[in-house]
Amino acid sequence: MSEMISVVVSVYNEELSLQRFFETITNVLSHCDVGYEIIFVNDGSSDKSGMILNSLANQDTKVKVVEFARNFGHEAAMIAGIDYATGDYIVCMDADLQHPPESIPEIIQKFRDGYDVVSMIRLENADAGFIKRLTSGTFYKVLNLFSPVKFENNSSDFFAISRQVAEVLRRDYREKVRYLRGYVQSVGFNRTTLQFKAASRVAGESKYNFRKLLKFSIHTLCSFSDMPLKLGIYTGIIVAVFGLIEALYSIIRKIFYDVPAGYSTIIVTLCFLFSVTLIVIGIIGEYISIMFDEIKDRPIYIVKKTRNLHDVKNNDNG
Ligand code: UDP
Ligand code: MG
């Protein structure tokens, strides 16, 4: 078997799902006509996930484990998995079986057809409520409005890339503030999409909350678009035009009616100008904080130990 597929799975407190995930994916992969490895990245779990992964690695050498020194987040875990993967194609997926392993044969077929990037598009999310769907829809609209790269609505952290694309990610996309899904969609190459139906989580609960998602959205917007930075210039121009009109109006009133311009006009103008100024300063602050993170150049992740992986990577993952 010359062809080989690497499945990268990020794991954070998934003790209730892991065994079932392992059985399902092994069952699917062993029926595909390719060699495979399953790379579990333990993102600093505080439950029994680490122990379960160890015992899986003991029973099956196709199971490889990368254990982080602490929690670095879902994207860092996927990046680490991609760094360690040796397959011709790499599939990234969640451990909670929301990303159906049954799609893997279809993905393999796409690679055989010559594609390099397969983005998996979520048809419906059994767990997402109305609010989550609305906010996620709005997020993609705003992102696409501002960003020069166009992003797929409803794309997910379920995607697959060829070795060549993985090489680009390993070498050239080492930003600290990042949006992996966005890179995958913007590197070019032959890209295609497949649809899948997101199932419910098999067990446990979602690790994303509103605050994390908001931060993630702001970071994504800022790292793919500099439009917000230019907001100051545009609002400045608009406000200047209004100011000019108001100045003319006051002068005319002064000449013809000899009454002072209104007090409320001053208050409204002041409030408006100050809020615009503060918003613009805040936006600049966001970009500075991103630059600060990049300049510090700390590692994207720190590996504590690995299982069934022989090539010891140096810690240069920045
Ligand atoms: N995850 C992770 N690190 C984190 C949070 C989540 O590796 O800090 C993993 C988690 O174990 C799961 C995947 O990322 O495999 C997606 O997380 P989750 O299911 O909580 O997100 P949702 O599907 O609700 O968006
Ligand atoms: Mg999930």
Side-chain angles (χ1 to χ4, degrees):
M1 263 186 295
S2 55
E3 254 180 330
M4 153 120 161
I5 184 166
S6 303
V7 177
V8 167
V9 192
S10 51
V11 177
Y12 179 55
N13 293 346
E14 299 283 3
E15 58 182 6
L16 298 170
S17 333
L18 279 177
Q19 186 64 36
R20 184 127 157 237
F21 176 83
F22 171 72
E23 281 159 19
T24 317
I25 194 102
T26 306
N27 183 31
V28 171
L29 288 170
S30 56
H31 286 94
C32 296
D33 177 28
V34 285
Y36 69 89
E37 63 178 358
I38 309 169
I39 303 181
F40 288 100
V41 182
N42 182 2
D43 185 14
S45 300
S46 54
D47 64 355
K48 296 204 185 72
S49 300
M51 271 168 55
I52 299 170
L53 291 179
N54 272 342
S55 77
L56 292 178
N58 285 338
Q59 347 167 345
D60 187 345
T61 50
K62 291 194 175 73
V63 171
K64 320 214 156 152
V65 181
V66 178
E67 196 178 320
F68 281 180
R70 63 165 164 87
N71 180 257
F72 280 90
H74 183 195
E75 297 224 316
M78 288 191 285
I79 290 172
I82 293 171
D83 287 349
Y84 279 91
T86 56
D88 300 296
Y89 340 117
I90 302 169
V91 182
C92 286
M93 59 200 301
D94 290 357
D96 56 10
L97 285 173
Q98 280 193 297
H99 298 160
E102 293 75 23
S103 305
I104 288 179
E106 270 180 288
I107 295 176
I108 293 176
Q109 191 50 49
K110 288 288 181 194
F111 283 114
R112 288 183 179 156
D113 294 344
Y115 289 102
D116 294 281
V117 177
V118 185
S119 299
M120 303 298 289
I121 306 296
R122 187 180 344 128
L123 271 183
E124 60 193 75
N125 187 342
D127 278 354
F130 173 71
I131 299 287
K132 188 159 178 180
R133 252 177 285 160
L134 185 76
T135 45
S136 134
T138 315
F139 167 69
Y140 282 109
K141 283 225 177 67
V142 175
L143 182 63
N144 279 333
L145 190 67
F146 285 136
S147 160
V149 190
K150 293 293 162 253
F151 295 99
E152 205 78 54
N153 204 340
N154 283 331
S155 70
S156 59
D157 291 314
F158 188 15
F159 59 82
I161 52 179
S162 66
R163 173 179 286 153
Q164 201 183 358
V165 174
E167 209 38 66
V168 174
L169 295 183
R170 285 179 200 132
R171 205 181 45 226
D172 301 326
Y173 282 81
R174 308 308 288 186
E175 285 152 72
K176 318 294 177 225
V177 176
R178 77 233 133 197
Y179 179 51
L180 191 56
R181 227 182 292 171
Y183 299 161
V184 169
Q185 291 184 38
S186 60
V187 284
F189 294 94
N190 283 333
R191 210 180 126 241
T192 183
T193 55
L194 277 175
Q195 295 184 325
F196 75 102
K197 233 169 131 175
S200 280
R201 240 178 181 284
V202 276
E205 52 190 41
S206 172
K207 275 100 200 165
Y208 279 104
N209 54 32
F210 182 71
R211 221 188 67 220
K212 267 196 195 173
L213 281 176
L214 185 67
K215 189 174 155 196
F216 184 70
S217 310
I218 291 176
H219 278 169
T220 302
L221 193 61
C222 293
S223 63
F224 276 93
S225 165
D226 57 2
M227 177 65 193
L229 265 183
K230 296 176 183 148
L231 211 64
I233 301 174
Y234 300 131
T235 42
I237 293 171
I238 294 168
V239 170
V241 170
F242 276 118
L244 201 67
I245 294 171
E246 171 135 4
L248 284 176
Y249 171 74
S250 306
I251 292 168
I252 291 168
R253 266 179 76 112
K254 177 89 182 138
I255 294 171
F256 293 104
Y257 305 101
D258 197 29
V259 278
Y263 167 77
S264 31
T265 318
I266 296 175
I267 297 297
V268 170
T269 315
L270 273 185
C271 287
F272 179 65
L273 285 182
F274 269 115
S275 58
V276 169
T277 315
L278 288 174
I279 290 171
V280 170
I281 292 176
I283 291 171
I284 295 173
E286 265 314 311
Y287 281 91
I288 292 180
S289 98
I290 290 177
M291 290 198 287
F292 188 47
D293 274 345
E294 302 295 344
I295 287 169
K296 281 187 289 186
D297 204 26
R298 301 212 173 125
I300 296 175
Y301 57 85
I302 300 170
V303 174
K304 189 156 84 183
K305 61 174 191 249
T306 62
R307 300 290 306 261
N308 292 345
L309 281 164
H310 298 296
D311 63 318
V312 182
K313 286 234 149 88
N314 54 10
N315 246 352
D316 174 31
N317 57 54

